[in-house]
Amino acid sequence: MELEDVYRRDLNLLVALRVLIEEGSVSKTANRLNLSQSAMSRVLGRLRVMLGDPLFTRQGQSLIPTQKALELDSELSSPLEHLRSLLSPQDFSPENCKQKFTIATTDYAMQTILPFALPRLYQEAPNIRLELVPLQHDHLAQQLTRQGADMAICRPTYSVAPLHHENLGKVSVFCLLSTNHPLANVNLTLNDYLNAPHAMIAISDGVKALIDEALSSHPLPPLILRAYHLEAALAIMDTLPLIITVPADLAYLVAKRHNLVIKKLPFKLTPFDYSLIWHSRCEHSSAQKWLRNVVKQECGKLIAQRVEVMGIE
């Protein structure tokens, strides 16, 4: 297609397609684009004609994009974001920023990593609004596009391409024991670990998969409690000789708070990377760059300090 042919097309329709995919609703898209619902319906009709595809099917109140619509959205992502950056003011002042940012994060990162970035974020940009939402591992790309999250903090369990990502640092795994535990004052052996009763916290489910893999040639240790919150296990640690295996920096925080004993794993488990992940729609925004930079600096610094303090290899 020649450049003059592109000029004759209504390229605003492509912006409407992107918003339709993000919102999954004609009425919500109409609100964002300041159109009536009937006008938005006509825009959708023109899109279908221009692109030669139905683009969406209806499921209840939601519009489900066709495969071609998703492919177009992926191709449009980078050029539209470049245009948005080009047409936006380039000077960014954190102290004057009033944007809302949404960060998807695991419970673990919410408790042990992200809180250490929050003071600096609000110190530099006191008027921003942050919304921290639970990470959806199986729908990460959708969460960073249609659901509008600006970034995610997690341990990727699969390739996140074509999403952007940057490592925050390595996280290892330690054991927590009560000071009254029979193994509290001795070196923890593999046999001890395999035979002692254990509690598993939902925050550590990713850790459990790594432990199961590392112990694949051994019988799994007895799991007597599985709970969503750490407090449930902490409540019975003085009653039962439990071992709780959690990410090392969580162990570090909890041990100081509850006077518990930290033990290294008696088997090899390679520390895993925790990452900051974002969609290309956020790549060029000055506000997003500032947010990512602060989170990377503060969280990365924290992880590095704990690696040094706890002697993680």
Side-chain angles (χ1 to χ4, degrees):
M1 181 180 291
E2 299 296 333
L3 194 58
E4 56 268 27
D5 294 319
V6 175
Y7 173 76
R8 295 187 186 99
R9 301 295 180 99
D10 186 353
L11 298 185
N12 281 337
L13 294 176
L14 299 179
V15 178
L17 175 62
R18 159 53 67 88
V19 180
L20 275 165
I21 290 175
E22 288 182 0
E23 295 293 348
S25 163
V26 170
S27 59
K28 290 180 181 179
T29 302
N31 286 336
R32 278 184 61 178
L33 298 180
N34 198 27
L35 297 172
S36 67
Q37 188 162 340
S38 59
M40 191 64 235
S41 296
R42 290 194 295 272
V43 167
L44 178 54
R46 292 166 61 196
L47 269 167
R48 286 168 168 162
V49 171
M50 184 174 78
L51 299 173
D53 189 84
L55 299 177
F56 298 93
T57 57
R58 186 168 291 282
Q59 182 175 310
Q61 298 298 314
S62 298
L63 293 178
I64 307 301
T66 64
Q67 183 60 36
K68 181 168 183 177
L70 293 174
E71 291 170 359
L72 287 166
D73 182 59
S74 178
E75 292 295 325
L76 286 169
S77 177
S78 181
L80 286 180
E81 289 307 315
H82 278 296
L83 279 173
R84 178 152 61 178
S85 177
L86 182 66
L87 297 173
S88 299
Q90 296 303 306
D91 293 333
F92 173 72
S93 171
E95 60 269 24
N96 295 322
C97 181
K98 296 182 179 180
Q99 286 185 226
K100 174 186 175 184
F101 299 99
T102 301
I103 303 176
T105 177
T106 60
D107 284 346
Y108 157 69
M110 183 96 68
Q111 292 186 36
T112 63
I113 299 177
L114 192 54
F116 292 85
L118 294 181
R120 180 177 162 191
L121 286 172
Y122 282 107
Q123 182 180 21
E124 293 187 11
N127 300 310
I128 62 169
R129 292 173 295 141
L130 290 179
E131 182 175 1
L132 310 180
V133 300
L135 184 89
Q136 300 173 19
H137 275 287
D138 296 333
H139 304 285
L140 183 56
Q142 191 175 42
Q143 193 170 22
L144 292 172
T145 52
R146 292 180 61 183
Q147 296 182 27
D150 297 294
M151 65 179 62
I153 301 175
C154 65
R155 177 179 72 89
T157 55
Y158 54 86
S159 172
V160 298
L163 298 172
H164 301 268
H165 78 282
E166 188 164 340
N167 289 340
L168 295 173
K170 291 190 176 296
V171 177
S172 191
V173 177
F174 279 179
C175 301
L176 283 174
L177 290 75
S178 164
T179 54
N180 298 324
H181 197 289
L183 302 172
N185 299 311
V186 299
N187 291 328
L188 186 65
T189 68
L190 177 58
N191 189 59
D192 292 332
Y193 188 90
L194 293 175
N195 289 285
H198 287 252
M200 180 57 61
I201 313 305
I203 195 174
S204 308
D205 274 353
V207 170
K208 184 178 186 304
L210 296 174
I211 292 173
D212 290 350
E213 181 179 353
L215 297 177
S216 58
S217 61
H218 300 276
L220 293 177
L223 181 62
I224 68 167
L225 174 66
R226 182 178 180 133
Y228 185 75
H229 289 294
L230 184 60
E231 285 75 10
L234 295 176
I236 59 172
M237 287 191 72
D238 286 332
T239 305
L240 297 172
L242 288 178
I243 293 177
I244 309 175
T245 308
V246 294
D249 43 2
L250 178 60
Y252 179 73
L253 289 178
V254 172
K256 289 180 64 177
R257 191 176 301 152
H258 296 276
N259 191 31
L260 300 176
V261 175
I262 293 178
K263 298 282 185 180
K264 289 187 177 181
L265 290 175
F267 54 89
K268 185 172 180 58
L269 190 147
T270 304
F272 51 87
D273 290 316
Y274 239 71
S275 297
L276 181 63
I277 303 171
W278 66 96
H279 189 266
S280 56
R281 71 183 181 84
C282 300
E283 174 71 4
H284 304 287
S285 162
S286 298
Q288 296 284 348
K289 288 179 181 178
W290 165 80
L291 179 66
R292 289 196 300 270
N293 185 56
V294 173
V295 171
K296 284 187 292 187
Q297 286 185 6
E298 295 304 308
C299 295
K301 181 168 56 179
L302 175 75
I303 291 175
Q305 287 174 348
R306 288 178 180 170
V307 166
E308 183 178 353
V309 168
M310 296 180 289
I312 298 172
E313 299 176 355

